[in-house]
Amino acid sequence: MRWYPKGYGGSRRDPDQVKRDGWHDEGVLAVSVDDQRLTWPERELVRQLGEKLYGPRANDREAANG
């Protein structure tokens, strides 16, 4: 039998479960602007919020300059 430090070993949560727990426990929302579960207006809202809070994405800046 092998010993692992606390927090290691066992099963891992899938990424959507981590995001769900973050929303429920901390009020943190992690969403991709390309998430196909969202409608176009919802994806556009996510994009606009991201730009307002953090500035334009790197690939968006290149297209604007090119």
Side-chain angles (χ1 to χ4, degrees):
M1 184 166 127
R2 189 171 168 125
W3 178 85
Y4 292 103
K6 184 177 181 179
Y8 288 84
S11 61
R12 297 179 65 122
R13 296 180 295 169
D14 69 280
D16 278 335
Q17 185 62 45
V18 174
K19 294 175 191 178
R20 191 176 301 113
D21 291 346
W23 173 248
H24 289 268
D25 299 341
E26 306 294 332
V28 174
L29 181 62
V31 61
S32 171
V33 72
D34 299 321
D35 192 325
Q36 294 302 308
R37 295 174 291 185
L38 302 175
T39 63
W40 179 84
E42 292 167 339
R43 288 192 302 270
E44 184 64 15
L45 175 63
V46 169
R47 185 191 64 76
Q48 289 178 13
L49 285 170
E51 285 185 359
K52 180 175 182 172
L53 295 173
Y54 305 113
R57 296 170 65 195
N59 59 357
D60 292 343
R61 283 182 272 156
E62 289 177 16
N65 293 335

